[in-house]
Amino acid sequence: MSMYFKASHRLPTFILMLTIISFQTVAQAPSKRGMVPIDYFDFVFVGSPSISPDGSKIIFAKTSVNDDASGRHSHLYLIERNQPPRRFTQGDKDRSAKWSPDGKSIAFVRSVDDTPQVFIIPANGGEATQITELEDFMTELQWLPDNQGLLLSLEGEQVEGEQATDKSDTTDEEATRAEPDIVVVQHARYMANSLGFLNDKRIHLHTLDIPSKTLTQITRSEDYNVRSPQVSPDGKYVFYSANKTGTEFNGSAISDIYKVELATKTTTRVTEHPHAEYQSAISHDGKRIAYLHNEAEYTQTDLWLMDSDGKDAKNLTKDFDRNATRAAWSPSNKALYFIASDHGAERIFSVNTEGGTVNALLEVDKTQSSLTLSPAGDYAVFAMESSTELPELYRYDFETQNLTQLTQFNQDVLARLHLSEAKSVWFKNDKGMNVQGFLHLPVGYEKGESYPLVLNIKGGPGGMWGHRWFHENQMYAAKGYGVAYVNYRGSSGYGFDHANAVRLDYGGADYQDNMQFLEHVIAQNDWIDVDQLFITGGSHGGFLSNWITTQTSQFKAAVTQRSVSSWISAAGTQQYTPYQMRSEFGGSLWENFDYYWDRSPLQFADKVTTPTLIIHSDGDTITPIGQGQEWFYALKANDVPTEMVIFKGENHNLSRTGTPTNLVERLERILEWFERYSK
């Protein structure tokens, strides 16, 4: 101010104070509040980045809730050099964008009348042109190296020539009669979550000639599906994985890698293993293939490397003690990058193709996903998130090690919210194993005050929680609850021994870790009101919520979601086959009945006193709605306060990808139930 006002022309004191107050008012950040369920409608998610061949542009998908919360919009956005992202296509269902090898065009998928179709748009913008009229469902899209064709994976009928059914003898009466509406079940695997009853269609490879729009089928069989195809750099071959043993629809995970020559449709088997080798990634010179390998069921997933003819195979991650995922080659063909679960986060790792130490790309406790490398190998693009940050795209420059945030779609919504960071908490369980959990303080926490606590149990038992965005925990914290959760035995990210420790011990190791973690958290945090404990969980976490309330009455209220109440009835009604259940439970119902029944909460339902809200979806094939109905019946029969909320038209993924209005309603119901039974 001295630049503008001399001492002899000083402003009156009260005017100066008003001026300062006014500037302070403008400069102050808006007051923050805790998250509420309807905030979900404002969240934006990003993914599937693809980098142009010259490395100057990045195209990606941006997903947001539509206006009436009945679904989601998916738009393609473009980043050019250091410019902010801009919308690139005009459709509301656009995704899976892929650059042509010459960088002049972009192919992408747009849903038309609920069927995915291929569109192509010039890389410099303009009108997108639809080039397919597909009736079959498309699962994958790739360019061929000549820029004139695409490789498509389509799910369709596998018949040659005329249909097998002969209707030449159909009478007039039969011709006008309504068609029967039935499902004929022959295979042990006949259901899938979000798909319902499966049909006889199979996923196979097709090439699409763009100028003529001619579609040519390359592989064909009723006995298997083609998975994870990748075109060789010279465009002559496609490598893929498949289970050709005839056991895929019995639930077997057996898989080998094959290659098919596009010109002749001749298929050659590349690997031959008694269990699973899959998800091949071809080096840029076409000489070697990286792929995933499981020695047997319930073993570590390792990253292996072999010559393109299947020879000289070697394990690159045998000493890593984490499950690898599909790898991306560096342009030099000397390194492979992949993502693995590790201590509560999904992290990017690299390994030299000659073997050696596996190294993390970033030393941060944040989850990374959707990894892609620039063609020149100078930078990587990926999504990254944390317990207080929604996923956004980032660029990592290998030479300078600079990390640059590319998108900020959620900046405004996060700026108005008071969020609670997930704090890592380690403890030693009764077996002497170090186990990691996490704790959120209540929003507005003040030292000396007491607060209720929610034990939120993750599903699985594989997978993990921790250093990633999970709006549900933020909403509990916003209501004044602390939130605790643990990556109990059976979880991913802590090595094979930890993941395998729950085998044939459901309701044992997983139960003990949750309860011992709760005891540890209570002992270390005197602000927790032990008379105000609540419990919830979904899937395996729903099973454990049921199980725990049969063992203790210390919780004020429970919300069990997409749960299992009886392994007896679950075995015959969910999507997993007798083969899979025999592997998971050490035998069939008739071979190991006591284990199925002794680990079923239903057997001990008469011990439950905890008021319980049951949330289930009527289209769930992983934990069918009958599991919720049986639990509801049992609690009603034993005079336990209970309600059941059934979400129509939803499946096992309600909490993650369900219809937005239903997803938010679920959150509201959980919060209301806990509030009902609070002090």
Side-chain angles (χ1 to χ4, degrees):
M1 293 182 63
S2 60
M3 294 175 59
Y4 302 99
F5 298 98
K6 296 182 180 179
S8 57
H9 295 87
R10 188 173 297 164
L11 286 171
T13 302
F14 77 95
I15 295 178
L16 181 60
M17 290 178 64
L18 285 173
T19 303
I20 293 172
I21 291 171
S22 297
F23 275 101
Q24 286 179 335
T25 302
V26 172
Q28 282 178 346
S31 58
K32 293 190 175 185
R33 58 167 175 79
M35 187 183 296
V36 295
I38 60 172
D39 285 321
Y40 178 85
F41 296 142
D42 294 329
F43 297 162
V44 170
F45 295 90
V46 295
S48 304
S50 179
I51 303 172
S52 63
D54 66 2
S56 67
K57 300 176 182 178
I58 303 162
I59 194 164
F60 64 94
K62 168 182 173 283
T63 304
S64 56
V65 176
N66 64 13
D67 292 341
D68 65 358
S70 64
R72 294 171 179 84
H73 290 319
S74 178
H75 302 134
L76 294 180
Y77 272 67
L78 189 72
I79 299 174
E80 299 183 70
R81 301 190 187 279
N82 296 321
Q83 299 300 310
R86 63 179 177 87
R87 186 169 172 180
F88 189 67
T89 60
Q90 301 307 307
D92 288 332
K93 297 290 184 181
D94 297 349
R95 56 184 174 84
S96 303
K98 304 289 177 65
W99 294 89
S100 62
D102 61 11
K104 295 180 180 179
S105 302
I106 297 170
F108 65 94
V109 177
R110 174 179 293 171
S111 292
V112 179
D113 297 328
D114 295 325
T115 301
Q117 303 292 348
V118 180
F119 285 70
I120 292 181
I121 188 171
N124 59 2
E127 292 293 325
T129 302
Q130 182 175 341
I131 63 168
T132 60
E133 296 285 349
L134 300 173
E135 296 181 2
D136 295 332
F137 189 83
M138 176 171 46
T139 62
E140 294 218 34
L141 158 71
Q142 294 178 50
W143 281 91
L144 297 177
D146 63 2
N147 299 292
Q148 298 299 304
L150 298 167
L151 179 73
L152 308 181
S153 294
L154 301 179
E155 184 180 50
E157 301 285 353
Q158 302 304 307
V159 292
E160 299 271 9
E162 295 297 320
Q163 295 286 339
T165 303
D166 183 4
K167 296 187 177 182
S168 59
D169 295 331
T170 302
T171 66
D172 291 341
E173 181 182 353
E174 290 171 330
T176 58
R177 186 184 303 157
E179 290 285 339
D181 188 6
I182 64 172
V183 175
V184 178
V185 176
Q186 295 176 318
H187 299 292
R189 180 176 175 267
Y190 65 94
M191 291 189 298
N193 192 56
S194 80
L195 298 176
F197 292 115
L198 300 178
N199 52 39
D200 289 329
K201 294 182 177 182
R202 303 289 181 256
I203 299 171
H204 281 282
L205 301 178
H206 300 68
T207 55
L208 175 67
D209 180 71
I210 296 173
S212 67
K213 299 183 180 180
T214 301
L215 195 65
T216 302
Q217 185 161 352
I218 303 300
T219 62
R220 186 191 303 272
S221 174
E222 295 182 351
D223 296 330
Y224 63 87
N225 290 295
V226 168
R227 312 284 188 186
S228 309
Q230 190 175 38
V231 182
S232 63
D234 60 10
K236 294 181 179 180
Y237 301 94
V238 176
F239 290 80
Y240 65 88
S241 56
N243 178 356
K244 296 188 180 183
T245 65
T247 62
E248 177 174 353
F249 302 99
N250 289 331
S252 168
I254 291 172
S255 178
D256 275 302
I257 296 171
Y258 298 82
K259 72 173 181 180
V260 58
E261 185 176 20
L262 291 179
T264 64
K265 302 182 185 180
T266 302
T267 296
T268 304
R269 188 172 184 170
V270 180
T271 67
E272 187 168 355
H273 188 267
H275 195 56
E277 297 185 313
Y278 54 105
Q279 291 201 351
S280 56
I282 309 169
S283 62
H284 298 286
D285 59 11
K287 296 180 179 179
R288 291 186 290 180
I289 299 174
Y291 61 99
L292 299 183
H293 172 104
N294 288 105
E295 190 62 28
E297 289 186 272
Y298 305 104
T299 60
Q300 179 172 301
T301 302
D302 284 316
L303 180 62
W304 282 57
L305 184 66
M306 64 180 173
D307 295 338
S308 60
D309 60 3
K311 297 178 180 178
D312 196 24
K314 61 182 178 181
N315 187 352
L316 298 178
T317 59
K318 62 181 178 180
D319 299 321
F320 183 44
D321 202 22
R322 296 290 187 272
N323 289 326
T325 57
R326 190 173 192 172
W329 284 87
S330 68
S332 67
N333 297 312
K334 294 181 179 179
L336 290 159
Y337 292 85
F338 63 95
I339 293 175
S341 301
D342 178 61
H343 290 180
E346 303 288 342
R347 307 180 197 272
I348 299 171
F349 292 92
S350 65
V351 62
N352 191 284
T353 54
E354 301 307 314
T357 305
V358 177
N359 298 303
L361 182 68
L362 299 173
E363 296 296 335
V364 295
D365 284 332
K366 297 184 179 185
T367 281
Q368 295 121 45
S369 61
S370 299
L371 170 67
T372 186
L373 303 180
S374 67
D378 53 338
Y379 70 92
V381 172
F382 49 87
M384 190 159 65
E385 63 190 276
S386 72
S387 64
T388 57
E389 300 166 298
L390 278 147
E392 299 283 2
L393 288 185
Y394 288 78
R395 169 178 170 149
Y396 178 81
D397 290 278
F398 289 104
E399 183 175 350
T400 64
Q401 298 185 354
N402 286 338
L403 183 66
T404 305
Q405 186 170 344
L406 299 176
T407 65
Q408 296 181 334
F409 291 116
N410 295 290
Q411 183 177 11
D412 290 343
V413 66
L414 294 180
R416 68 175 184 250
L417 298 175
H418 186 170
L419 302 175
S420 176
E421 183 180 0
K423 302 291 187 181
S424 175
V425 179
W426 288 86
F427 80 104
K428 195 177 292 291
N429 67 13
D430 61 344
K431 300 298 184 183
M433 302 172 67
N434 291 318
V435 181
Q436 186 183 28
F438 294 85
L439 179 66
H440 294 261
L441 292 177
V443 169
Y445 167 81
E446 294 183 6
K447 190 175 178 60
E449 298 293 325
S450 63
Y451 299 89
L453 181 77
V454 174
L455 177 64
N456 194 0
I457 307 177
K458 73 172 192 67
M464 63 179 184
W465 285 355
H467 303 296
R468 68 186 318 154
W469 178 258
F470 193 21
H471 55 268
E472 183 173 315
N473 289 330
Q474 295 294 341
M475 293 175 192
Y476 299 144
K479 280 288 190 179
Y481 299 93
V483 188
Y485 46 94
V486 62
N487 290 324
Y488 51 82
R489 276 171 281 175
S491 301
S492 312
Y494 301 90
F496 174 75
D497 289 343
H498 184 90
N500 205 47
V502 79
R503 279 273 290 136
L504 301 179
D505 197 20
Y506 285 1
D510 43 6
Y511 162 71
Q512 292 294 340
D513 280 357
N514 273 279
M515 298 309 293
Q516 291 170 23
F517 177 67
L518 179 62
E519 292 173 7
H520 176 81
V521 167
I522 290 172
Q524 297 295 317
N525 296 273
D526 59 6
W527 54 265
I528 297 174
D529 185 345
V530 295
D531 294 323
Q532 288 285 297
L533 300 178
F534 299 83
I535 186 171
T536 188
S539 198
H540 195 78
F543 155 71
L544 283 171
S545 295
N546 294 345
W547 182 261
I548 288 171
T549 56
T550 69
Q551 308 296 308
T552 178
S553 59
Q554 71 185 106
F555 295 96
K556 292 280 288 186
V559 179
T560 181
Q561 307 170 60
R562 57 192 185 281
S563 71
V564 170
S565 56
S566 168
W567 293 112
I568 302 293
S569 55
T573 57
Q574 35 82 318
Q575 68 184 44
Y576 300 110
T577 66
Y579 172 89
Q580 292 171 308
M581 294 300 288
R582 185 176 290 112
S583 298
E584 188 74 10
F585 282 78
S588 69
L589 278 171
W590 301 270
E591 296 162 338
N592 200 8
F593 181 87
D594 288 347
Y595 177 58
Y596 282 83
W597 183 235
D598 289 346
R599 301 306 174 99
S600 294
L602 193 65
Q603 181 182 173
F604 310 103
D606 60 337
K607 308 298 184 185
V608 178
T609 60
T610 307
T612 301
L613 174 66
I614 300 165
I615 292 178
H616 232 99
S617 298
D618 66 358
D620 193 334
T621 61
I622 295 176
T623 54
I625 190 170
Q627 294 301 303
Q629 290 171 317
E630 287 189 70
W631 198 237
F632 180 76
Y633 174 89
L635 298 187
K636 279 292 187 184
N638 287 283
D639 298 319
V640 179
T642 185
E643 288 182 10
M644 180 165 58
V645 178
I646 299 170
F647 284 87
K648 299 171 67 175
E650 299 291 350
N651 56 53
H652 198 70
N653 299 329
L654 167 64
S655 65
R656 298 179 288 274
T657 59
T659 304
T661 188
N662 286 340
L663 186 153
V664 168
E665 178 67 16
R666 165 187 164 270
L667 294 167
E668 297 276 13
R669 295 276 178 173
I670 297 171
L671 292 171
E672 190 280 328
W673 188 260
F674 286 163
E675 288 297 298
R676 189 186 304 184
Y677 290 95
S678 296
K679 284 181 180 177

